[in-house]
Amino acid sequence: MMSKHEKTYTTKANFMLHGGDYNPDQWLDRPDILADDIKLMQLSHTNTFSVGIFAWSALEPEEGVYHFEWLDEIFENIHGFGGRVILATPSGARPAWMSQKYPEVLRVNASRIKQLHGGRHNHCFTAEVYREKTEKMNRLLAERYGNHPALLMWHISNEYGGDCHCDHCQVAFRDWLKKQYNNDLKALNDAWWGPFWSHTFNDWSQIESPSPIGESAVHGLNLDWRRFVTDQTISFYQNEVVPFKELTPEIPITTNFMADTHDLIPFQGLDYSKFAKHLDVISWDAYPAWHNDWETTADLAMKVGFIDDLYRSLKQQPFLLMESTPSGVNWHNVNKTKRPGMHQLASMQMIAHGSDSILYFQWRKSRGSSEKFHGAVVDHDNSTENRVFKEVTQVGETLEKLSEVVGTNRPSDVAILYDWESNWALNDAQGFGLETKRYPQTLQQHYRTFWEQDIPVDVITKEQDFTSYKLLIVPMLYLVSEKTISRLKSFVENGGTLVMTYISGLVNEHDLTYLGGWHKDLQEIFGMKPVETDTYYPNDRNSVRFNNQSYELKDYATVLERDTANVEGIYEDDFYAETPAVTSHSYKKGKTYYIGGRLEDQFHRDFYQGLIESLSLEPVFPVKHGRGVSVQVRQAPQKDYVFVMNFTEEKQNVTFESSVKDLLTGEEVVGNVTLEKYEVRIVEHQKS
Ligand code: GLA
Ligand code: ZN
C-alpha cells in the first residue's frame, strides 16, 4: 500500500505552476503586445498559461474555416522560454455564426424562454450539434497540440454550471428518470409523493423539469432534476474528452470548479463529488473578498481553508488553484484591491492547503468589455513597476523555492462530511427558518475549531472511506439514505467517534421523511432520539449548560428523548428547559455525540477540546500562537513543510518549540518570532 506521505504529481510537473488565463486572441492585431507578454512572463517568474478558454471565434471564425496559426505561435513563444501551456477547449462560449445557424445550441431557461446569443456558459448541454462541434474542435486541438512539448494539461471548457429546459433536455431528463426508476412510473410517483396536489403521472411524457410557471413544489422532482443536471453536465464533459482520452491518454485533464460568494461556500449548482471521479486533477477558481466589511480576515481565511480541504479531499490529492486575482475582481459589489502582503499570504494559504499552483485570471487586463478593470498581472500601463506586478513576481520567486512541496498531501484524523444533495433538499424544505438553514456555513463553524488549533481536517463526501478517521463530524445531514446510515453505524461499531447535530437524518434519498420516528439504527448508536425541532425568530435566544458553563443558542433547538445516552448539556430556557441538549453514547467500540441546537463558536471550541484531548488529535507540527494565525502543514515522508500565516492586521508573536529551517531564507528558526501584519513564514521540519 502507498504510504500516506507519498507524493502524487497530479500534473506530472515537479514545479509549482505560476501564471494563469492568457487570452492572446484579444490582442492578435497587436504583435508588439504579444511580444511584450513573453518578456513580462519571464520577468514576473510565471511559467504556465491557460490558453484558448474563450477562443472559438478566433479558432473557427466561419464554420469549417480554422485558424490555428496564431495559437501555434503562442505555443512556440511560450515553449521558447521554457513555459508550459494548459490548453483549454473553447466550449464555454460560442461564435455567433453557430448560434445563428444552429439555434438549438442556445439554452431555454426555467421559465421556458429561449435565450439569445451572447454572454457565455449558456449552451444547451444536450444539443447533438453542439456536442458534435465541440468534439470536432477538441479533436483538432488534440491532433495539433497533443504532442507539443509545452502542453501540460487539458482544461475542459470553463466553470460548467447552469441548466437548460429545452425540448431536447426534457427528453433527456425523462430518459434519465426511466433509467433511475427502472421504467416503473409507479415507483417515480411513489418517490415524488404523487397524490399530493394530484401530481400523479400516468405517462412519462407528462413530466417536465421544475419551473416557476409550472411545477416547483414537488421536492422529489426538484432533487432528481438537480441530479440530472449534474449527470448531463458530466455527460457533456465526457463527450468533450473523447478525443483526449483517445489521442493523448498521458495528458492530465481538469475542469475548473467554483465557489459561491458573498459568503464563501462551495459551489451549489453541481454535485462535485460525482464530477470529481471523471477528472484527473481538481482545480478551482478562488475569489475571496479580502478586506471586506462584514468579517475578519481570519474568518474569511478559515472559509477558504474549508473549501480547499473539501476540493482536495474529493480526490485525496493535491489540487490546482486555476484562477485567482492578484488585486481585485470586477464582479463583487465592491471590488477592493488586495492590500500589500495579502497576495503573498493568500497565495501561500492555497499552497499550504494542498494547491500545486497559483494561477490568475487573467494575465493581461482586457482593453474593452466587462472585464477591463478585473485584476490582472499586466495592467493597462504595461509596466513592471506597479505594485501588483511586483507582488506577483514575489509570489513567483517564492514558488520557485517550493518545488519540493509539489505533490505532498495533508493526512488527517478528522473528517467533516459535506453533501451536495442534502444541501439541495434542505434548501428546498419549506419549514425551519428559510433564511437560517445555512448548511455550508454550519459546517464551516464546526471546521473553525480545528482550523484555529492547526489540526488538519479532510472535508469528505458520503461515498468516501470513513474508516481511516478517528473523528467524523456530520452536522445537519438532513438527507441521509439507509446505506449512509449503515456506513455511519459501522464506522462507530469499529471504534470511530461520530458527532451529529440537529436537522440530521430527517429524509431519505427521495426527500421523503422517515416514518416511525428517527431511523432505528441512528437511535441505536446515539442512545436517544430527536422528537421535535424548534425554529427561532432571528432575535430569539436560548442557552445550553455544558460543563458548568452557559452557551448561547440561536436558530434551532431539538427536543431529545433520552434512552441510554448520557446527558452532556441541557437547555436552560423554554418549555424544554432542563431537558437534554447535548448527549453522548458509547456504542460497541466507538462513541457518538449529538448536539441538539445551534450554539455559539465558544461552545464548539470547548466541546471539541474534549474530543481533541480524548482522541489525542494534534497539530502536525506545534507552533504556539494567538488567534488569527494559522499553521498548516504539507507532509513528505521525511519532512513537514510548515506554513505559519498571520491573518490579522497586527504583529503576532509565535513560538517554534524546535529548530526549523526557513525555506525562503535558509536560516535556522527557533523560539520566539514576530510575524508582521499578513506575514507568512514557510519552514521545513526534518522528521527524526
Ligand atoms: C471566472 C471565469 C473567468 C473570469 C473570472 C473573473 O472565474 O472563469 O473567465 O470571468 O471569473 O473573476
Ligand atoms: Zn437544452
Side-chain angles (χ1 to χ4, degrees):
M1 216 177 98
M2 223 169 94
S3 138
K4 59 184 181 175
H5 294 159
E6 221 57 61
K7 293 189 189 183
T8 318
Y9 291 99
T10 59
T11 67
K12 307 207 172 117
N14 58 1
F15 54 91
M16 288 283 173
L17 313 183
H18 187 219
D21 283 22
Y22 178 39
N23 299 307
D25 41 313
Q26 295 179 15
W27 302 95
L28 292 181
D29 60 349
R30 290 295 304 265
D32 56 323
I33 283 185
L34 296 180
D36 279 351
D37 283 335
I38 299 298
K39 281 186 222 144
L40 295 170
M41 284 170 180
Q42 297 167 74
L43 291 173
S44 59
H45 291 248
T46 48
N47 54 36
T48 301
F49 304 90
S50 311
V51 184
I53 294 175
F54 297 112
W56 204 321
S57 63
L59 294 170
E60 191 182 1
E62 283 173 53
E63 187 169 18
V65 177
Y66 297 99
H67 283 283
F68 291 109
E69 330 75 58
W70 65 270
L71 187 52
D72 296 348
E73 221 176 299
I74 298 294
F75 257 91
E76 286 321 308
N77 292 342
I78 290 176
H79 182 52
F81 74 89
R84 305 297 298 270
V85 173
I86 297 176
L87 187 55
T89 70
S91 68
R94 293 169 310 280
W97 61 257
M98 199 193 293
S99 308
Q100 192 173 39
K101 180 159 180 204
Y102 307 101
E104 65 266 43
V105 302
L106 298 169
R107 275 187 193 173
V108 172
N109 72 12
S111 302
R112 308 307 193 251
I113 298 172
K114 178 87 177 168
Q115 307 295 286
L116 300 178
H117 177 77
R120 58 174 184 170
H121 301 141
N122 52 10
H123 59 269
C124 168
F125 41 41
T126 305
E128 271 312 314
V129 61
Y130 200 51
R131 288 181 175 221
E132 278 162 23
K133 292 279 176 205
T134 306
E135 212 248 24
K136 171 97 192 279
M137 171 58 74
N138 296 1
R139 187 169 293 278
L140 292 173
L141 293 173
E143 283 166 358
R144 197 167 182 105
Y145 303 105
N147 290 321
H148 198 289
L151 179 67
L152 182 68
M153 282 181 79
W154 297 113
H155 175 303
I156 308 302
S157 200
N158 191 65
E159 298 192 333
Y160 283 118
D163 57 9
C164 174
H165 299 255
C166 78
D167 291 346
H168 299 294
C169 287
Q170 301 298 342
V171 171
F173 181 41
R174 288 175 204 130
D175 288 347
W176 183 91
L177 290 168
K178 284 179 194 160
K179 241 201 202 143
Q180 295 296 306
Y181 294 95
N182 293 319
N183 268 313
D184 181 353
L185 194 54
K186 173 160 184 332
L188 175 142
N189 281 317
D190 290 347
W192 290 4
W193 206 237
F196 170 75
W197 291 354
S198 212
H199 283 343
T200 305
F201 298 105
N202 64 2
D203 195 280
W204 293 94
S205 63
Q206 294 154 357
I207 300 171
E208 281 272 343
S209 59
S211 169
I213 60 163
E215 189 54 79
S216 62
V218 175
H219 290 172
L221 162 64
N222 295 347
L223 186 57
D224 277 340
W225 172 252
R226 293 195 173 94
R227 288 176 173 141
F228 163 76
V229 169
T230 292
D231 286 354
Q232 196 69 346
T233 305
I234 293 172
S235 149
F236 183 87
Y237 160 88
Q238 284 176 311
N239 181 74
E240 283 217 43
V241 300
V242 167
F244 306 131
K245 300 237 167 194
E246 193 185 310
L247 300 173
T248 64
E250 295 301 312
I251 304 289
I253 303 179
T254 192
T255 186
N256 46 345
F257 285 174
M258 296 178 265
D260 284 349
T261 359
H262 162 104
D263 247 359
L264 194 72
I265 57 172
F267 179 63
Q268 305 298 300
L270 295 171
D271 185 344
Y272 283 161
S273 70
K274 280 184 176 173
F275 212 148
K277 299 189 181 111
H278 302 274
L279 306 178
D280 297 320
V281 188
I282 301 291
S283 63
W284 77 286
D285 302 344
Y287 293 104
W290 295 113
H291 322 290
N292 67 49
D293 67 354
W294 65 87
E295 65 195 338
T296 65
T297 303
D299 285 344
L300 179 54
M302 176 276 288
K303 294 176 183 175
V304 175
F306 175 85
I307 301 181
D308 277 341
D309 286 343
L310 170 63
Y311 291 174
R312 176 181 48 74
S313 301
L314 287 173
K315 289 188 96 67
Q316 300 285 7
Q317 65 182 31
F319 61 92
L320 299 179
L321 175 65
M322 186 57 81
E323 291 181 24
S324 61
T325 175
S327 50
V329 297
N330 67 328
W331 49 271
H332 290 163
N333 273 352
V334 172
N335 298 292
K336 195 160 181 162
T337 194
K338 283 173 168 165
R339 317 331 273 169
M342 180 47 81
H343 182 50
Q344 172 86 352
L345 175 64
S347 299
M348 291 312 122
Q349 185 195 15
M350 300 304 290
I351 304 293
H353 280 269
S355 177
D356 281 348
S357 72
I358 298 299
L359 300 168
Y360 310 111
F361 179 87
Q362 61 179 334
W363 166 254
R364 176 184 286 278
K365 262 187 195 176
S366 308
R367 186 166 186 203
S369 294
S370 69
E371 288 180 331
K372 62 178 174 294
F373 295 118
H374 192 288
V377 179
V378 182
D379 210 328
H380 299 134
D381 62 5
N382 202 40
S383 165
T384 57
E385 294 309 308
N386 63 55
R387 184 179 68 86
V388 171
F389 191 91
K390 286 183 183 160
E391 292 204 28
V392 166
T393 307
Q394 186 200 352
V395 166
E397 287 164 347
T398 305
L399 292 174
E400 283 161 7
K401 296 184 178 147
L402 299 181
S403 299
E404 55 179 282
V405 179
V406 174
T408 58
N409 210 335
R410 297 163 42 91
S412 115
D413 291 330
V414 181
I416 298 180
L417 192 128
Y418 185 87
D419 188 45
W420 271 269
E421 295 191 342
S422 184
N423 187 39
W424 291 338
L426 179 62
N427 281 337
D428 234 10
Q430 282 161 280
F432 314 113
L434 297 189
E435 307 282 311
T436 53
K437 290 168 186 162
R438 299 173 61 78
Y439 168 74
Q441 292 86 344
T442 303
L443 267 67
Q444 288 170 332
Q445 196 198 12
H446 285 258
Y447 174 87
R448 174 192 290 278
T449 303
F450 300 91
W451 186 81
E452 286 175 350
Q453 298 219 29
D454 309 326
I455 295 168
V457 172
D458 284 353
V459 183
I460 62 169
T461 59
K462 59 182 180 295
E463 269 84 32
Q464 285 178 280
D465 185 16
F466 302 157
T467 57
S468 66
Y469 300 103
K470 291 183 182 167
L471 173 61
L472 176 60
I473 302 170
V474 185
M476 288 185 86
L477 193 65
Y478 167 71
L479 177 153
V480 55
S481 66
E482 296 214 302
K483 183 174 149 214
T484 303
I485 291 175
S486 87
R487 295 189 63 229
L488 293 172
K489 189 175 172 195
S490 80
F491 170 74
V492 182
E493 270 168 13
N494 292 311
T497 297
L498 175 69
V499 177
M500 214 179 219
T501 74
Y502 58 96
I503 314 192
S504 289
L506 300 193
V507 301
N508 71 8
E509 67 274 25
H510 297 300
D511 206 347
L512 291 170
T513 59
Y514 283 103
L515 296 181
W518 218 35
H519 195 284
K520 63 173 183 4
D521 285 352
L522 291 174
Q523 292 193 35
E524 196 181 324
I525 57 178
F526 284 92
M528 61 95 218
K529 62 178 173 193
V531 288
E532 202 175 338
T533 303
D534 193 13
T535 302
Y536 289 18
Y537 278 97
N539 293 321
D540 290 344
R541 291 291 183 273
N542 197 339
S543 56
V544 163
R545 200 158 65 245
F546 171 80
N547 277 346
N548 296 321
Q549 278 194 61
S550 183
Y551 298 92
E552 190 180 73
L553 179 151
K554 61 178 192 171
D555 299 341
Y556 297 105
T558 310
V559 181
L560 308 179
E561 201 175 290
R562 192 181 78 87
D563 181 12
T564 47
N566 301 314
V567 178
E568 302 279 346
I570 54 166
Y571 294 111
E572 293 191 306
D573 200 1
D574 223 313
F575 68 91
Y576 36 89
E578 303 302 318
T579 70
V582 180
T583 61
S584 69
H585 189 231
S586 295
Y587 180 74
K588 306 238 169 123
K589 290 190 201 146
K591 196 153 183 193
T592 61
Y593 293 84
Y594 189 88
I595 302 172
R598 183 169 285 168
L599 288 154
E600 60 175 307
D601 285 343
Q602 194 53 42
F603 168 80
H604 290 101
R605 291 188 184 111
D606 295 344
F607 169 78
Y608 283 120
Q609 190 55 44
L611 295 187
I612 287 168
E613 283 163 21
S614 66
L615 298 172
S616 313
L617 304 172
E618 285 169 354
V620 181
F621 181 79
V623 179
K624 274 206 193 119
H625 60 79
R627 196 163 287 164
V629 172
S630 170
V631 181
Q632 302 293 335
V633 181
R634 290 181 68 166
Q635 293 188 260
Q638 305 304 329
K639 279 179 190 175
D640 294 328
Y641 301 100
V642 185
F643 295 70
V644 186
M645 300 169 280
N646 179 5
F647 288 104
T648 76
E649 281 65 30
E650 291 84 41
K651 282 186 191 192
Q652 295 286 341
N653 293 317
V654 304
T655 312
F656 292 90
E657 273 157 22
S658 49
S659 170
V660 287
K661 189 172 106 194
D662 188 305
L663 259 174
L664 307 185
T665 62
E667 63 178 340
E668 288 295 316
V669 187
V670 69
N672 292 340
V673 171
T674 302
L675 293 185
E676 297 300 322
K677 163 182 175 180
Y678 301 153
E679 189 178 347
V680 47
R681 292 291 291 264
I682 308 166
V683 301
E684 66 172 42
H685 166 243
Q686 200 77 39
K687 289 182 201 176
S688 47

